Amino acid sequence: MKQYLAYAFGTFGHDAFYNTLSIYFMMFLTSQLFTGGADEKMVGLVTLIVVIIRIGEIMFDPMIGGVVDNTETRWGKFRPWIMAGSIVASIGLIVLFSDYGGLAFSNPTLYLILLAVTFLVIDVFYSFSDIALWSMLPAISIDTKVRTRFGTASRLGSTLGAQIVIVIITPAILLFSHVFSKVPYGQQTHAGWFGYVLIVALLCSGGALITCLNIKEQDNLIRKNTQHTNLKAIFNAIKNNTQLLWIAASYFLFAFSYVVTQSLLMYYFRYRLGNVAAYTWVGVITCVLGVLSVSIYPLLERLIHRKAIYIAGIAFMLIGYLIFLFAGQNLAMVLVAVSFYFFPYPLIFLATLMTITDSVEYVQLVNGTRNESVTLSIRPLIDKLAGAASNGVVGLVAVAVGMTGNAKPGDISAAGVFKFNTFMFYIPIVLLIIAAVIFFFKVTLTEAKHAEIVKELRKRLEKQDAATPKATLNDSQKATHVASSTQMADSHN
């Protein structure tokens, strides 16, 4: 239980950080920093910078996974990156949510350069922390049931972390604005945003410390089948993992749809409902539903298995979108819609995470070597790609429909509402349907299939281990040993 809680604390702060960066940075820009009509150019430039950096950095994620896989320290290969990455990224987040000492207005060019550097540093170090944190999962245990328990605990923490920021963001910003800037309660200032972001940075670094002090990776025969990964091997580990590629394709469509809707939701409350304070209820509802959703995942996995969880979850989300379309400016219906579209999100995430985790052994059987962090780097890579795409969409939509500064719901034209609905509802609905079709027909790595793979791996490695005298194993024999393993795995596949 201590280890489960420690893992949950780490993912709690981790996802509080991720949601703040992915969802609320654009809100900070458009509602606090650049609020005038003349500032639309700056919003567009910052949006472009963020999208370019995120898409450009994504290609390095598998290589970051390779660096983590190749790390050997007295603390293991994961914990040093979790701790260092979280601290550096947290410091960068505090700097990012500022006007850089007034440079945003006095010297816009220098501001854009410094912002690009800051965002790049955050993205790289957060990637190291993110990949190391989640790729610990296959290193904690080989057993699918144990993995499911750790995965459930980690997702419980990440769900609460992601949703708690929705609960606290508005009251925290208003409180800190009142305390630090001495403005009437109800107004937002830069200082208010600083106070909120400081809390998130402390949660991220503190959670990472708790995880690193309590979680250790497991040593076993299957995990010993790991060797230093070169650049070619990194991409072979992904290219040869066909199940991973199909999972990635489906999950990207799902993640992009979810993040776009989630990112535009605060705009919906502010500029469609005209009731930004009610947005706090979204956080309360999703926290409660998130705990319930994650808690029932192990039972659902035993009863109906992952594929059914994934497909049924998307069906639930589609019901939520349909309710949204009829809700209009009815707050009660909007909250019901939020409940339907959010409830299955943690379940779909867990089904994806556990399938990707099991694909570590799948590709080990195919390639003859084990690549934990390279394989698990795909899920964070997809989340960041979805986040980058959504950042671009949100920035463009906000400017295009006039949802900036102090605009009121009555200021948004009918054409603007239609454009907004297209990106928040119509496009995500289509993408979710495609995601479900891909997962249903192409993902075949079931729980039973993984058990067969683990059994086959253990049998082969035990046979090789018994037949090879370790004391006399030289470099040439090691190469032959690995090649033999690869050939047998390819033959089996």
Side-chain angles (χ1 to χ4, degrees), residues 155 159 289-290 293-294 297 342-351:
R155 187 56 205 173
T159 298
L289 291 179
S293 178
V294 174
Y297 177 81
F342 173 78
F343 178 76
Y345 170 70
L347 296 173
I348 295 172
F349 177 95
L350 274 171

Side-chain angles (χ1 to χ4, degrees), residues 97-177:
F97 278 78
S98 73
D99 61 3
Y100 286 71
L103 289 175
F105 309 104
S106 63
N107 193 333
T109 301
L110 182 57
Y111 164 78
L112 291 173
I113 293 172
L114 293 176
L115 180 137
V117 172
T118 304
F119 204 95
L120 181 60
V121 170
I122 292 172
D123 228 29
V124 170
F125 278 89
Y126 180 81
S127 293
F128 270 107
S129 174
D130 194 37
I131 290 169
L133 181 64
W134 290 103
S135 61
M136 282 184 74
L137 193 54
I140 294 173
S141 176
I142 297 298
D143 187 274
T144 295
K145 293 180 180 178
V146 176
R147 285 180 175 179
T148 295
R149 290 196 288 270
F150 271 102
T152 301
S154 65
R155 187 56 205 173
L156 179 62
S158 66
T159 298
L160 289 174
Q163 304 313 312
I164 200 69
V165 299
I166 300 176
V167 176
I168 70 170
I169 183 169
T170 299
I173 291 171
L174 296 179
L175 175 63
F176 287 125
S177 297

Side-chain angles (χ1 to χ4, degrees), residues 24 163-174 185 265-266 269 275-288 331 335 338:
Y24 299 116
Q163 304 313 312
I164 200 69
V165 299
I166 300 176
V167 176
I168 70 170
I169 183 169
T170 299
I173 291 171
L174 296 179
Y185 189 84
L265 191 57
M266 194 170 185
F269 273 77
N275 189 357
V276 70
Y279 185 68
T280 300
W281 282 107
V282 174
V284 174
I285 292 171
T286 53
C287 271
V288 174
L331 177 60
L335 294 178
V338 168

Side-chain angles (χ1 to χ4, degrees), residues 286-304:
T286 53
C287 271
V288 174
L289 291 179
V291 172
L292 176 62
S293 178
V294 174
S295 299
I296 67 173
Y297 177 81
L299 176 62
L300 289 177
E301 189 180 59
R302 288 197 299 271
L303 292 177
I304 62 175

Side-chain angles (χ1 to χ4, degrees), residues 178-259:
H178 176 66
V179 172
F180 294 153
S181 302
K182 309 302 180 185
V183 300
Y185 189 84
Q187 296 183 17
Q188 297 184 16
T189 66
H190 291 183
W193 278 89
F194 171 81
Y196 160 72
V197 171
L198 181 60
I199 290 175
V200 173
L202 291 174
L203 288 174
C204 181
S205 298
L209 179 61
I210 292 173
T211 298
C212 291
L213 290 176
N214 292 280
I215 302 290
K216 294 182 180 180
E217 56 203 80
Q218 184 186 81
D219 290 324
N220 55 54
L221 180 62
I222 291 178
R223 286 201 70 236
K224 286 179 181 178
N225 183 219
T226 304
Q227 54 182 306
H228 282 283
T229 309
N230 58 36
L231 190 61
K232 181 180 179 180
I234 287 172
F235 289 100
N236 279 339
I238 296 171
K239 182 186 70 174
N240 294 336
N241 195 337
T242 54
Q243 284 298 287
L244 179 64
L245 295 176
W246 283 119
I247 297 165
S250 177
Y251 182 69
F252 170 74
L253 297 177
F254 160 76
F256 175 74
S257 301
Y258 178 81
V259 174

